[in-house]
Amino acid sequence: MSLAVLLVLIVVFSFVVGHLLQRFTSRFATLSAVEYMLVGVAIGPALGWSLLTREALTHLQPFFSLLLGLLGFVLGIRADKTLRSKGFGPAAFFASIAVLIGFTLLILPVLDWLVPLVASDSDFIIDKSVLRYSGKALAVHVESNSLWLALGLAACAVVSSVQAVRTLRGNRPGRVGDFLQACARASQITGIVVLGLVLAATRATSQANRFSMTVVEWSVAAGCLGIICGLLFTLFIGRENEPSRIFLAAVGLVIFASGVGSALGISPLFVNLLAGVVVANTSDHADGVRDQLDRLQHPLFVLVLIFAGALWQPVSGALWLLPITYVVGRWLLRRVFTRIAARSVLEPKLETLRLGNGLISHGSLAVAIALNLAQRFPEWAAVVLNTVLIGTLVSDLFSRRALTALLTDAGELVVGLAPSSAPPPLGAEGDASEESPEEPASPEAGEEDAV
């Protein structure tokens, strides 16, 4: 079977089967990412079948970049509403950044033990003594490759699913649910921004860097690229009002930004996130573009998960301990820092160590970040995808039960009653609805979901 025909069949599967599952089962069960990842594993080369070979997956790399770019653009074009979280924003971003830093510090020594890297392959080495006492010294020794890998895994670990909270609580009001959604939205933006900065930094420190640019210059260049792409859309779309042309212009923008970002070795997710933010704040057609992209949300979710599963390959030996460290470390850090962040915005009776249980669910964006890392660092692809995909699988096993117990104890969910509104589309990993904590959400609020 030719690669083109196979790709068409996979795309058709993602549209048709995904739509049917969403239509007939979304009111009765919450479908997770597991089903689609297992489909990807089944058609990929990991099981020894020839449906999707390693060579075929290599040829599909530009298509993967386009998928990632579309995900970033959809999230970016809704970021103006995402950032309005009724006073929860600072606390939500504090929790996400704290989890990111804590996870990086936790995973670095584990990576140093399980993934030994050759020092000569590193672009730089941090080797400093931080404490001396009685003739002994505490030193920090970090190689650049270990640092980038740790930050990349931390960017995945920090992400939580908005859709999981949104589906379960529906339109029921409640400060705990609002706080959890704000934390999940902040985690998604934090994860993409960190991914973009990490990939820009690797370009700056790479021994093959031909542009002689510093880390700051590469980071600024990556940001400016996204901003310029967004401004180009606003400039050239003009007064066009035809929905189909607006949609094509938006897709063309994403293709261009993804191609340039991939060519420069920086993240299509990051570049298109910024482009989407600019379009949302400068273009009169932002609402039209947002409406047109709604049709792509679920197929994008499905395709990313299928191809991530297809790229998965098992690791060997002690590397199987990485997913365990990933899951346990992420859970503990979420519990600790979510509670600390909640102290400044929630009433004392609502503060509980179990608040972090509401953010266990990973969502599709973490898998997308892992896919981007696997593209950029093929030598780490097996480690990254094995860690994140298994982490997503394990999280999905108990995240819904933990979230249900948390919202029930907070008085924001009555077990046995259906949500007060239909759940958002599967894979809608963001939530642009900004209902006030004091007022019930409107029935239309659930329509403003983004990846």
Side-chain angles (χ1 to χ4, degrees):
M1 183 182 300
S2 70
L3 182 60
V5 174
L6 183 59
L7 180 59
V8 170
L9 291 177
I10 294 175
V11 172
V12 170
F13 171 84
S14 69
F15 272 83
V16 177
V17 177
H19 175 73
L20 291 176
L21 288 173
Q22 173 192 332
R23 180 177 179 180
F24 293 110
T25 68
S26 60
R27 291 182 179 271
F28 307 101
T30 300
L31 295 178
S32 66
V34 177
E35 295 89 345
Y36 300 110
M37 287 191 294
L38 293 179
V39 170
V41 173
I43 66 174
L47 299 182
W49 299 350
S50 58
L51 196 57
L52 264 181
T53 63
R54 295 288 178 199
E55 182 181 2
L57 290 172
T58 301
H59 291 319
L60 287 174
Q61 291 298 321
F63 182 69
F64 298 161
S65 296
L66 175 60
L67 292 179
L68 296 173
L70 284 169
L71 286 172
F73 188 77
V74 170
L75 182 60
I77 204 169
R78 299 180 183 277
D80 58 330
K81 296 182 180 180
T82 297
L83 293 174
R84 288 184 290 156
S85 36
K86 300 298 182 182
F88 292 133
F93 277 102
F94 164 80
S96 296
I97 295 172
V99 170
L100 177 85
I101 295 173
F103 190 87
T104 303
L105 296 176
L106 170 68
I107 206 69
L108 263 175
V110 179
L111 289 175
D112 188 56
W113 171 46
L114 295 178
V115 191
L117 301 172
V118 181
S120 59
D121 295 335
S122 299
D123 299 317
F124 64 85
I125 298 176
I126 301 174
D127 195 353
K128 293 185 178 180
S129 177
V130 296
L131 180 64
R132 292 183 179 275
Y133 180 75
S134 300
K136 298 182 179 179
L138 176 64
V140 174
H141 179 87
V142 180
E143 298 179 9
S144 62
N145 290 336
S146 296
L147 179 61
W148 303 142
L149 182 55
L151 286 170
L153 289 174
C156 298
V158 76
V159 173
S160 297
S161 172
V162 178
Q163 186 258 345
V165 183
R166 179 75 182 142
T167 299
L168 189 60
R169 70 188 294 241
N171 284 334
R172 294 190 185 94
R175 289 184 62 79
V176 171
D178 291 336
F179 175 68
L180 292 177
Q181 287 184 224
C183 287
R185 291 191 291 266
S187 73
Q188 294 176 345
I189 294 175
T190 301
I192 293 181
V193 170
V194 170
L195 170 71
L197 295 179
V198 166
L199 296 189
T202 59
R203 292 292 291 144
T205 60
S206 173
Q207 297 173 351
N209 179 16
R210 298 173 297 172
F211 300 100
S212 300
M213 296 169 61
T214 65
V215 171
V216 174
E217 290 171 341
W218 263 108
S219 300
V220 172
C224 288
L225 175 61
I227 294 172
I228 291 172
C229 288
L231 291 175
L232 287 175
F233 175 87
T234 303
L235 177 65
F236 287 109
I237 198 64
R239 299 181 179 273
E240 180 62 59
N241 292 316
E242 179 64 32
S244 60
R245 294 185 179 181
I246 294 174
F247 175 75
L248 288 176
V251 173
L253 162 66
V254 173
I255 293 173
F256 174 76
S258 301
V260 175
S262 298
L264 293 177
I266 53 183
S267 172
L269 268 170
F270 177 68
V271 173
N272 281 282
L273 173 76
L274 295 180
V277 170
V278 173
V279 170
N281 288 278
T282 62
S283 176
D284 295 333
H285 301 287
D287 291 336
V289 174
R290 189 180 296 116
D291 294 339
Q292 292 293 321
L293 289 176
D294 283 345
R295 69 182 72 172
L296 296 179
Q297 289 181 18
H298 186 70
L300 283 174
F301 166 79
V302 174
L303 285 170
V304 166
L305 293 173
I306 288 176
F307 285 119
L311 286 168
W312 175 82
Q313 49 186 312
V315 295
S316 60
L319 287 176
W320 286 103
L321 296 176
L322 261 181
I324 299 175
T325 306
Y326 180 89
V327 172
V328 175
R330 178 175 179 266
W331 174 67
L332 290 174
L333 291 168
R334 262 298 169 198
R335 284 174 64 96
V336 172
F337 290 114
T338 304
R339 184 184 186 183
I340 293 175
R343 291 178 178 174
S344 62
V345 293
L346 292 181
E347 296 79 4
K349 64 179 182 179
L350 297 178
E351 293 178 21
T352 170
L353 187 61
R354 294 169 56 234
L355 274 173
N357 289 353
L359 300 170
I360 293 174
S361 181
H362 238 336
S364 58
L365 184 59
V367 178
I369 293 175
L371 180 60
N372 201 171
L373 287 169
Q375 274 190 301
R376 181 65 180 84
F377 306 109
E379 66 276 16
W380 301 338
V383 173
V384 171
L385 289 174
N386 189 71
T387 301
V388 176
L389 294 188
I390 292 179
T392 301
L393 169 62
V394 173
S395 298
D396 279 349
L397 292 178
F398 58 89
S399 60
R400 182 177 176 84
R401 180 179 298 179
L403 178 58
T404 300
L406 173 64
L407 293 179
T408 301
D409 291 346
E412 298 180 13
L413 182 67
V414 180
V415 178
L417 294 182
S420 55
S421 69
L426 179 64
E429 289 303 334
D431 178 21
S433 62
E434 295 299 336
E435 52 277 9
S436 170
E438 292 80 16
E439 299 178 2
S442 62
E444 291 80 9
E447 298 175 2
E448 293 288 347
D449 294 296
V451 178

